[in-house]
């Protein structure tokens, strides 16, 4: 009553001020201040393929606009040089070997939808935390983190079991087998390895059975049954790679339902873009997380007629330019809904471009600019240095460039903190919150060391010597390029992580990336006075890092990656899996 009396006796402005001061505090302030988060991730895009990173022949005006209106990172590093482990690290903020998502063998990614390996259910993704903070969470596009564990519909590795409310896309990844007109990918080294493994296990099983029958080898029937089962699994997996890959791997899902088996590739781009814009429109009235995981620019480079024959770089350039157009459509949808100032947009690639991907004289993989190496190479910059762009008008400065070591793993704590959540305290999180660096309240990245793995094999280590500005990088293992000096492993298709295809260095090769970003001139004790000091410092960091590692189940073990018929997602009655539920789109 006294307040009302005061209002009658005071000017209107005074009244309003008192009214505001007497308002109770907002109980949902954290929700009001939570930004929308849109994460855009390209597949196999090289850092040299984007205009704002120096390319002047592939047109990427929308990605370039993001950089002009936001912050560009020039030393943004993937935690692995291949899809499955890199994305596992991105989702969890942890080096992939901490979750078992890096390989001790040559099976370095998930090879089948019907494998049993994948992102473990006990891992906590940033999507799960944002979901708990009240966000609507959606994943559109590529997953490649596994589907099932023990049965066809348990979906233990599925996006909806990892914090996403909505999923539309490929549970696997694009491969050339998805396009009937393209040369299959899975008939290459993978088939040879499967057949060799089938023969070896079959021979062991036959020898054991013969020994049991003749009494020369005391083998239990249980052991024989297991050997026979393994032999059958490998044979079925090898046999299925001929003609069945398109039906087993090239499928589309909406949430838990298979919608296309096999996928109809000439409308995939349209559907992914439609789903992304629809998700934004449906969730514009509450905080949302959209992870748009592009199928571009992975082979077979699905490109619509509108963008064909437009780029100087053939089909690959066409595909990148179409992806840039899709980025623009998503940004336009954000603007249309009036969400630009309340939305953090991030763009990156999962790892470097695939140099060896060629057909005849066509280059179907990306370009990594001045950086040596490419996809599958865990140490060289070309395999792990990727575009990294943030835009949030009014919060992040426009046109800023940051040349500090950052990681894709940093997205995890960054978006968790923005959402008002807390990172898990029961495990090591290797990422660091980037907001202070992006906003300019600190000058240096929190990363002192970054460890560069190829599978579970440590190939290189980066040390950010902040007091001097030097970025030291020591290579302990490097792949052997073939032909010599070619800059890639053209005779293999991928560079290996171990074995006869690599060289071990003792002492390690040392570079100062601040002076030699192309890693062209290795330093030595004769040419660099700090050589021994730097190598000693990095060596101690490796010892400390290894003490933080604990054994976990190997998600990419031979058993986990092999095709298992009882785990195959199927639209229909297995093995007659076929459907097209998007036919009226």
């Amino acid at each position: 009553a006294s307040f009302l009396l005061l209002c009658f006796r005071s000017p209107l402005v005074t009244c309003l001020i008192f009214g505001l001061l007497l308002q109770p505090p907002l109980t949902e302030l954290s929700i009001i201040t939570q930004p929308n988060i849109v994460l855009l991730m390209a597949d196999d895009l090289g850092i040299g393929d984007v205009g704002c990173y120096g390319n002047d022949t592939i047109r990427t005006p929308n990605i370039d606009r993001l950089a002009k209106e936001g912050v560009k990172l020039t030393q943004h590093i993937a935690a692995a040089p291949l899809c499955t482990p890199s994305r596992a690290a991105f989702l969890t903020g942890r080096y992939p070997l901490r979750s078992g998502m890096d390989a001790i063998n040559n099976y370095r990614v998930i090879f089948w939808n019907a494998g049993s390996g994948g992102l473990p259910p006990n891992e906590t993704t940033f999507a799960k935390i944002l979901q708990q903070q009240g966000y609507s969470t959606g994943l559109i596009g590529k997953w490649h983190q596994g589907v099932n564990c023990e049965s066809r519909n348990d979906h233990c590795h599925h996006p909806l079991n990892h914090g996403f409310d909505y999923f539309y896309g490929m549970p696997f990844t694009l491969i050339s087998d998805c396009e009937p007109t393209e040369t299959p990918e899975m008939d290459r080294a993978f088939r040879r390895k499967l057949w060799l493994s089938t023969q070896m296990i079959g021979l062991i099983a036959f020898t054991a059975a013969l020994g049991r029958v003749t009494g020369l080898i005391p083998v239990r029937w249980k052991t024989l049954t297991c050997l026979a089962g393994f032999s059958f699994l490998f044979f079925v997996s090898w046999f299925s790679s001929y003609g069945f890959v398109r039906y087993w791997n090239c499928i589309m899902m909406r949430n838990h339902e298979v919608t296309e088996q096999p996928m109809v590739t000439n409308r995939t781009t349209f559907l992914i873009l439609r789903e992304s814009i629809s998700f934004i429109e449906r969730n514009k009235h509450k905080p949302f997380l959209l992870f748009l995981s592009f199928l571009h620019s992975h082979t077979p480079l699905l490109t619509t007629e509108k963008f064909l024959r437009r780029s100087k770089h053939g089909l690959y350039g066409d595909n990148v330019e179409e992806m840039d157009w899709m980025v623009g459509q998503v940004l336009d949808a954000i603007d249309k809904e009036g969400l630009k100032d309340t939305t953090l947009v991030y763009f990156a690639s999962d790892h470097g471009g695939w140099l060896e991907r060629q057909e005849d004289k066509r280059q179907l993989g990306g370009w990594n600019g001045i950086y040596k190496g490419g996809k599958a190479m865990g140490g060289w910059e070309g395999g792990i240095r990727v575009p990294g762009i943030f835009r949030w008008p009014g919060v992040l400065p426009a046109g800023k460039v940051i040349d500090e070591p950052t990681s894709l793993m940093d997205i995890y704590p960054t978006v968790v903190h923005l959402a008002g959540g807390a990172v898990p305290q029961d495990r090591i999180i290797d990422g660091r919150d980037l907001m202070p660096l992006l906003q300019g309240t600190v000058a240096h990245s929190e990363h002192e060391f970054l460890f560069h793995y190829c599978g579970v094999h440590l190939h290189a280590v980066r040390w950010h010597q902040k007091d001097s500005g030097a970025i030291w990088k020591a290579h302990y293992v490097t792949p052997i390029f073939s032909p010599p000096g070619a800059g890639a492993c053209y005779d293999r298709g991928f560079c290996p992580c171990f074995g006869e295809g690599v060289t071990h260095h003792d002492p390690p090769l040392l570079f100062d990336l601040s002076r030699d970003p192309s890693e062209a001139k290795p330093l030595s004790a004769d040419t660099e006075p700090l050589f021994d000091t730097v190598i000693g410092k990095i060596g101690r960091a490796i010892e400390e890092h290894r003490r933080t590692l604990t054994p976990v189940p190997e998600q990419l073990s031979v058993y986990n990656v092999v095709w298992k018929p009882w785990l195959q997602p199927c639209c229909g009655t297995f093995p007659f899996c076929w459907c097209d539920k998007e036919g009226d789109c």
Side-chain angles (χ1 to χ4, degrees):
S2 59
F3 172 66
L4 290 175
L5 183 62
L6 178 64
C7 281
F8 281 114
R9 295 180 178 177
S10 306
L12 180 60
V13 172
T14 306
C15 222
L16 289 172
I17 292 173
F18 271 94
L20 289 171
L21 290 174
L22 292 173
Q23 284 291 316
L26 289 172
T27 58
E28 295 186 345
L29 183 61
S30 62
I31 297 177
I32 294 171
T33 58
Q34 289 173 320
N36 305 309
I37 296 168
V38 175
L39 308 176
L40 308 172
M41 179 168 283
D43 197 1
D44 284 18
L45 180 74
I47 191 171
D49 293 325
V50 184
C52 58
Y53 284 90
N55 192 305
D56 57 4
T57 54
I58 295 180
R59 291 163 294 193
T60 56
N62 295 293
I63 300 172
D64 298 346
R65 171 160 60 105
L66 277 178
K68 184 177 180 180
E69 297 176 354
V71 180
K72 182 178 74 171
L73 306 176
T74 62
Q75 205 175 154
H76 201 41
I77 307 298
L82 284 173
C83 307
T84 297
S86 173
R87 290 163 182 267
F90 175 73
L91 288 161
T92 64
R94 291 151 51 82
Y95 286 108
L97 78 166
R98 295 194 192 277
S99 58
M101 291 294 281
D102 236 337
I104 62 171
N105 51 49
N106 286 318
Y107 302 104
R108 297 165 57 190
V109 298
I110 290 171
F111 276 91
W112 299 97
N113 278 324
S116 52
L119 191 62
N122 63 354
E123 285 294 326
T124 302
T125 66
F126 57 70
K128 189 171 290 186
I129 298 178
L130 266 64
Q131 188 181 57
Q132 295 166 354
Q133 292 300 116
Y135 273 69
S136 295
T137 56
L139 168 60
I140 313 294
K142 170 176 173 171
W143 175 238
H144 210 190
Q145 298 293 303
V147 182
N148 297 312
C149 289
E150 298 178 354
S151 65
R152 181 167 294 134
N153 295 311
D154 68 29
H155 290 177
C156 69
H157 302 306
H158 190 278
L160 267 61
N161 199 41
H162 279 295
F164 291 100
D165 299 315
Y166 184 76
F167 169 61
Y168 178 80
M170 289 190 76
F172 191 58
T173 180
L174 264 186
I175 51 176
S176 291
D177 304 69
C178 298
E179 189 69 274
T181 59
E182 293 291 320
T183 303
E185 280 182 48
M186 292 190 69
D187 64 350
R188 300 175 185 180
F190 182 60
R191 279 179 175 158
R192 290 195 297 270
K193 291 173 186 174
L194 275 177
W195 180 236
L196 179 62
S197 299
T198 301
Q199 289 177 310
M200 290 177 62
I201 296 174
L203 181 61
I204 293 170
F206 177 76
T207 303
L210 191 63
R212 167 80 187 195
V213 171
T214 60
L216 295 175
I217 306 175
V219 182
R220 292 187 296 179
W221 285 114
K222 185 177 180 180
T223 303
L224 279 177
T225 303
C226 288
L227 285 171
F230 269 107
S231 182
F232 175 73
L233 271 181
F234 273 84
F235 173 77
V236 169
S237 189
W238 169 78
F239 181 77
S240 293
S241 67
Y242 287 89
F244 293 91
V245 172
R246 185 164 165 255
Y247 287 86
W248 295 160
N249 280 346
C250 303
I251 69 175
M252 299 291 284
M253 296 183 75
R254 177 175 284 105
N255 295 327
H256 292 296
E257 180 185 25
V258 178
T259 58
E260 295 180 36
Q261 191 168 16
M263 64 193 293
V264 182
T265 55
N266 61 7
R267 66 183 181 213
T268 303
T269 297
F270 164 77
L271 290 174
I272 285 178
L273 183 57
R274 184 186 73 176
E275 291 284 342
S276 301
I277 294 174
S278 175
F279 182 85
I280 293 171
E281 292 172 346
R282 291 196 310 271
N283 295 284
K284 61 186 176 182
H285 295 302
K286 64 178 296 189
F288 65 81
L289 162 71
L290 171 61
F291 178 18
L292 172 49
S293 178
F294 290 103
L295 303 184
H296 298 60
S297 50
H298 198 292
T299 51
L301 301 173
L302 301 181
T303 309
T304 59
E305 183 65 31
K306 177 182 176 182
F307 286 89
L308 288 176
R309 296 172 294 277
R310 286 181 39 162
S311 168
K312 296 179 181 179
H313 292 276
L315 183 59
Y316 181 83
D318 295 342
N319 194 254
V320 173
E321 291 189 3
E322 179 173 65
M323 179 187 64
D324 178 80
W325 170 78
M326 294 174 73
V327 170
Q329 294 297 298
V330 172
L331 296 180
D332 289 347
I334 293 171
D335 291 352
K336 179 184 174 184
E337 301 300 337
L339 302 174
K340 183 174 181 178
D341 292 342
T342 56
T343 302
L344 172 69
V345 180
Y346 166 75
F347 177 85
S349 178
D350 55 355
H351 50 70
W354 190 358
L355 301 179
E356 295 93 344
R357 190 66 177 96
Q358 300 173 333
E359 293 286 351
D360 300 321
K361 294 183 179 180
R362 294 192 303 163
Q363 177 63 34
L364 300 179
W367 182 51
N368 300 311
I370 66 171
Y371 304 109
K372 182 181 291 186
K375 176 178 178 176
M377 303 182 210
W380 295 120
E381 288 292 284
I384 54 177
R385 192 183 288 223
V386 298
I389 303 171
F390 289 84
R391 187 194 76 174
W392 187 1
V395 178
L396 300 182
K400 184 174 183 177
V401 178
I402 295 177
D403 188 24
E404 289 280 311
T406 59
S407 170
L408 265 68
M409 296 183 291
D410 297 338
I411 303 310
Y412 187 99
T414 302
V415 300
V416 165
H417 289 152
L418 286 174
V423 299
Q425 299 300 307
D426 62 345
R427 64 199 65 191
I428 292 175
I429 301 297
D430 298 296
R432 299 291 182 265
D433 184 0
L434 287 177
M435 284 304 291
L437 183 66
L438 296 174
Q439 291 184 290
T441 58
V442 299
H444 295 295
S445 162
E446 286 189 45
H447 291 289
E448 184 176 10
F449 297 95
L450 285 172
F451 303 91
H452 307 308
Y453 283 90
C454 186
V456 299
H457 308 276
L458 185 64
H459 274 207
V461 180
R462 177 191 243 93
W463 175 31
H464 183 201
Q465 191 179 6
K466 299 177 186 179
D467 57 350
S468 70
I471 307 289
W472 303 102
K473 189 174 172 193
H475 287 260
Y476 295 87
V477 183
T478 56
I480 299 172
F481 294 146
S482 52
C489 303
Y490 290 98
D491 64 339
R492 293 173 178 262
F494 279 114
C495 284
C497 296
F498 62 94
E500 61 182 18
V502 303
T503 299
H504 293 263
H505 302 281
D506 187 14
L509 300 178
L510 181 66
F511 300 91
D512 180 358
L513 298 180
S514 63
R515 293 178 288 170
D516 181 19
S518 301
E519 299 173 289
K521 300 175 182 178
L523 305 171
S524 67
D526 295 329
T527 60
E528 175 53 61
L530 296 175
F531 183 89
D532 291 333
T533 302
V534 172
I535 296 302
K537 177 80 172 180
I538 292 176
R540 290 188 293 274
I542 292 173
E543 293 175 4
E544 184 176 341
H545 167 68
R546 283 178 170 156
R547 284 194 290 269
T548 70
L549 303 177
T550 55
V552 293
E554 297 169 18
Q555 298 298 320
L556 301 180
S557 67
V558 173
Y559 174 77
N560 278 334
V561 300
V562 74
W563 184 77
K564 302 174 182 66
W566 61 89
L567 298 184
Q568 177 61 50
C570 183
C571 186
T573 303
F574 183 84
F576 305 104
C577 304
W578 181 91
C579 67
D580 181 4
K581 299 179 182 179
E582 303 287 355
D584 58 350
C585 74

